[in-house]
Amino acid sequence: MRFSRLYAPTLKEAPRDAEVVSHKLLARAGYVRQLTSGIYTFLPLGLRALNKVAGIVREEMNRAGAQEVLLPMVQPAELWKETGRWEFYGKELLRFRDRKDSEFCLGPTHEEVITDLVRHEVRSYRQLPLNLYQVQTKFRDEIRPRFGLMRCREFTMKDAYSFDRDEAGADASYRSMYDAYTRIFRRLGLRFKAVEADSGSIGGSFSHEFMVLADTGEDTIAACTSESCEYAANLEKAEAVCVMAECGEGCGALSRVATPGAHTVEEVAACLGVPASKIVKTLLFDVDGKAVAALVRGDRELNEIKLKNALAATDVRLATPEQVQQWSGAPVGFAGPVGLAVDVLVADHELCNATGMVAGANEADAHVVNLDMARDVKAVRFADLRSVASGDLCPRCRTALTLTKGIEVGHVFKLGLKYSEAMKAAFLDEDGKERTMVMGCYGIGVSRIIASAIEQNHDADGLMLPPTIAPFEAALIALAGKDAAVLARAEDMVRELEGMGLDVLFDERDERPGVKFKDADLMGMPIQLVLGGKGLERGVIEAKCRKTGTRTELPLDGFGDAFAAFRAGVWRAWGLESPGR
Ligand code: ATP
Ligand code: MG
């Protein structure tokens, strides 16, 4: 590809709303353009990168025995009503009506559509297992589209769905997808971790997320620091090991104290001179229409996902100030577990035997002290409600956990019977008995991967892409001016490189060297080759690895072998096996 023909409008300045480096660089390097909030156009460079990622995903899905299909993006409401998700999915589901007034949505995911296909076509155990996948545009009306390609409303996803005869088969399908994902993210040169995850609104029994490790990630991962333990989980899910307060310490009688204007844990702690760990934090929620109080220690964070799971709830909302007033008889900041008018009282395990605690008194500007959870709090359930913190113990091996940030690029779920039961996807087994298919579903954020790769690899000059993602593996810069000999030789080299299987961006523009170097660095191709008049005279071409900055001169005579060795070094710098090996 000749640079002078390439449509890659670079920008000096990043868009004003770009917060993260991948968004800034993708716009500046001319990979993408925003059409409107969370909706992007892929320019030639961006689309080439997207297709490279999709290509590797397809290869590994095919290798794992999955077959590619393409499902419609527009989906009828009836299917979503069958599974109950028409109501449950919330506002991320973009709904609309056609001219006959029938209801539709744009597919944010395709469990309903694929299950509908399979239930009509697959009848016998002989047709199972079956794994179908697609690479397709998804639409989710995200509440806060941001970070460029990271959280879009319209984005490209690879989604696969497996159908098995039984649990064991479904487990094998899950394992095979898990392994395929590991190969995919390795081949894409990403530093990643597979973590245990909550199964969220897709539902199902167990799941793992594949996280690219980056400080800008929106997810938090709790991972065991022991070398021999592999435990890692999304913070939403990471189990807290409960170190219970010792029983029987006892404390004086519960009594009320004035805490004027002290609503927050910090204010109460300062006012009464107690550590935050001796305060019971009481949070009020509207859970599926019921009044719920959730209690955690003052120095802990309540985990809403855990609360939702503990109550088997669908909709968890923080109570409004009016609800707080109604249930506690006090303004926000003074609720406590004694004498609270709620339907459900649930507390974190850690509070089980706690004594000598401070809590809200359910009246303005007052708290109670000497609270003994076992003695004073009636009708309370205990559950794992708090988020783990750095230094907490690993639930597997009791070594300390550490917290890091991650970007979710893939998610594998074992769905079990959730969709096949709701939509009656059944088959006849060997004995002619009707049985329900056991399903799994597996997503990869194809467009998000490009952003995550850049979050992990960039410098002040621009982005750096691994050879397996970069739109062109090499940029060949001819410093020719009007020197026809240099241009001609450079052209020959482009052909030679293409013959070796590389995509090459040939910068033959009549531009100053500085401009060409800047563009090459900004666009991030992993290999840069520079041929100038002097080099040609000396019979050498300069080669640079964009990732490490290493430069070497390669001989023009015997270029093929020298280049192959250099290229292998570049791939190694990305932790990749060289192509063709
Ligand atoms: P998130 O928690 O980040 O919203 P999710 O759990 O909703 O993700 P899935 O439903 O599992 O995501 O979708 C599969 C994959 O699609 C995700 O792992 C992620 O890589 C990608 N993805 C999800 N939402 C978006 C989005 N809004 N923009 C870009 N990619 C996305
Ligand atoms: Mg989401």
Side-chain angles (χ1 to χ4, degrees):
M1 175 86 208
R2 287 171 176 265
F3 202 121
S4 62
R5 306 302 312 146
L6 176 70
Y7 178 57
T10 56
L11 303 172
K12 283 226 165 54
E13 301 289 331
R16 270 198 297 163
D17 63 337
E19 295 169 66
V20 294
V21 72
S22 59
H23 186 187
K24 291 180 186 164
L25 290 176
L26 283 166
R28 282 193 49 217
Y31 277 60
V32 300
R33 282 293 180 269
Q34 181 173 311
L35 176 63
T36 182
S37 171
I39 302 184
Y40 286 82
T41 296
F42 279 74
L43 302 178
L45 289 178
L47 185 59
R48 275 180 159 266
L50 192 75
N51 287 339
K52 294 241 163 140
V53 174
I56 288 183
V57 169
R58 286 192 167 101
E59 276 178 30
E60 294 299 340
M61 294 311 290
N62 295 343
R63 192 200 303 268
Q67 298 173 64
E68 187 167 0
V69 293
L70 185 57
L71 304 168
M73 188 187 181
V74 172
Q75 310 184 3
E78 286 69 41
L79 289 181
W80 286 73
K81 288 181 179 162
E82 278 190 53
T83 59
R85 286 209 294 182
W86 187 252
E87 286 74 37
F88 180 63
Y89 208 93
K91 291 200 168 159
E92 275 185 29
L93 189 65
L94 184 65
R95 301 148 212 253
F96 57 95
R97 286 171 190 272
D98 69 1
R99 63 169 75 200
K100 293 190 189 125
D101 215 27
S102 307
E103 289 179 300
F104 289 88
C105 63
L106 288 185
T109 177
H110 280 73
E111 284 78 9
E112 281 80 0
V113 172
I114 195 90
T115 310
D116 180 60
L117 178 80
V118 168
R119 70 174 165 185
H120 289 123
E121 316 286 343
V122 175
R123 296 251 172 260
S124 155
Y125 70 94
R126 287 194 198 87
Q127 294 164 282
L128 300 175
L130 182 65
N131 187 328
L132 301 174
Y133 78 96
Q134 62 173 342
V135 177
Q136 201 218 30
T137 301
K138 295 280 187 273
F139 195 94
R140 294 181 181 181
D141 201 358
E142 297 274 355
I143 184 163
R144 278 187 72 201
R146 58 190 180 146
F147 300 161
L149 294 189
M150 211 98 95
R151 183 163 301 282
C152 302
R153 293 196 293 166
E154 185 175 307
F155 59 97
T156 308
M157 196 203 284
K158 184 287 300 176
D159 44 330
Y161 304 88
S162 64
F163 297 83
D164 276 277
R165 295 157 63 173
D166 51 27
E167 290 292 326
D171 288 351
S173 293
Y174 184 89
R175 190 74 225 172
S176 140
M177 285 294 108
Y178 183 103
D179 293 342
Y181 275 37
T182 305
R183 288 196 301 272
I184 288 169
F185 297 122
R186 274 206 195 119
R187 285 183 63 187
L188 292 171
L190 300 166
R191 292 189 301 283
F192 69 97
K193 209 173 182 61
V195 308
E196 291 178 16
D198 183 69
S199 3
S201 70
I202 308 264
S205 38
F206 61 85
S207 83
H208 285 89
E209 284 164 348
F210 287 78
M211 295 281 192
V212 161
L213 308 173
D215 292 339
T216 41
E218 292 181 281
D219 284 279
T220 305
I221 304 165
C224 183
T225 50
S226 160
E227 298 259 315
S228 56
C229 176
E230 292 200 332
Y231 182 77
N234 192 315
L235 190 68
E236 291 177 347
K237 154 109 182 179
E239 282 162 60
V241 173
C242 175
V243 184
M244 275 203 218
E246 272 181 34
C247 228
E249 247 171 58
C251 60
L254 186 71
S255 59
R256 181 187 161 284
V257 292
T259 53
H263 325 74
T264 65
V265 168
E266 293 72 34
E267 286 162 356
V268 175
C271 175
L272 299 177
V274 294
S277 58
K278 294 305 284 181
I279 295 174
V280 174
K281 189 153 63 175
T282 305
L283 296 151
L284 300 178
F285 292 91
D286 180 331
V287 178
D288 298 330
K290 280 194 175 148
V292 171
L295 315 180
V296 290
R297 246 168 54 177
D299 57 337
R300 305 300 194 188
E301 289 302 322
L302 178 90
N303 183 324
E304 278 191 34
I305 307 266
K306 287 186 177 180
L307 177 66
K308 185 173 171 184
N309 291 341
L311 302 177
T314 52
D315 187 33
V316 174
R317 288 178 211 191
L318 206 57
T320 62
E322 294 71 43
Q323 287 173 314
V324 172
Q325 181 73 47
Q326 193 190 337
W327 302 337
S328 74
V332 174
F334 299 98
V338 185
L340 193 60
V342 289
D343 302 310
V344 179
L345 192 55
V346 52
D348 184 72
H349 286 307
E350 229 173 19
L351 288 172
C352 189
N353 295 323
T355 59
M357 303 297 283
V358 172
N362 298 318
E363 82 180 69
D365 296 329
H367 278 73
V368 292
V369 296
N370 286 334
L371 175 77
D372 180 324
M373 284 293 292
R375 180 191 67 193
D376 303 324
V377 182
K378 301 289 174 263
V380 59
R381 280 178 47 189
F382 291 92
D384 177 13
L385 291 185
R386 71 177 179 94
S387 289
V388 301
S390 186
D392 274 350
L393 299 185
C394 168
R396 297 262 173 79
C397 76
R398 303 293 193 263
T399 311
L401 293 173
T402 165
L403 301 188
T404 47
K405 289 285 177 191
I407 304 168
E408 182 195 323
V409 287
H411 203 164
V412 291
F413 294 89
K414 182 167 172 214
L415 292 171
L417 304 176
K418 184 176 158 98
Y419 295 90
S420 42
E421 241 166 25
M423 297 183 66
K424 303 197 175 49
F427 65 99
L428 296 179
D429 70 9
E430 291 94 324
D431 308 322
K433 251 181 58 198
E434 191 172 270
R435 286 169 54 182
T436 307
M437 296 178 206
V438 189
M439 287 175 62
C441 76
Y442 319 92
I444 287 187
V446 178
S447 46
R448 185 183 276 185
I449 283 174
I450 298 170
S452 356
I454 298 170
E455 291 299 326
Q456 281 192 335
N457 306 284
H458 59 267
D459 64 12
D461 298 323
L463 54 90
M464 299 171 176
L465 286 174
T468 43
I469 300 183
F472 297 93
E473 187 176 341
L476 194 158
I477 301 170
L479 301 181
K482 301 265 181 286
D483 190 340
V486 173
L487 267 186
R489 186 58 195 253
E491 243 187 301
D492 287 346
M493 301 200 70
V494 171
R495 252 173 263 130
E496 188 174 351
L497 291 163
E498 285 173 349
M500 294 166 80
L502 277 87
D503 290 325
V504 185
L505 179 58
F506 178 30
D507 192 349
E508 30 57 286
R509 291 175 302 169
D510 186 12
E511 281 283 0
R512 281 181 293 116
V515 170
K516 297 185 165 195
F517 294 145
K518 260 204 153 71
D519 281 342
D521 278 347
L522 178 61
M523 291 176 180
M525 302 329 149
I527 297 175
Q528 289 175 19
L529 295 165
V530 184
L531 185 67
K534 285 195 194 118
L536 186 58
E537 268 171 35
R538 289 175 40 232
V540 294
I541 182 168
E542 188 180 83
K544 175 177 140 183
C545 168
R546 175 74 181 89
K547 183 167 168 69
T548 59
T550 322
R551 290 165 200 272
T552 10
E553 285 191 339
L554 306 177
L556 291 177
D557 198 15
F559 173 74
D561 287 345
F563 177 76
F566 177 80
R567 183 189 191 190
V570 171
W571 282 63
R572 268 198 306 280
W574 282 98
L576 298 170
E577 264 181 45
S578 313
R581 276 227 230 146

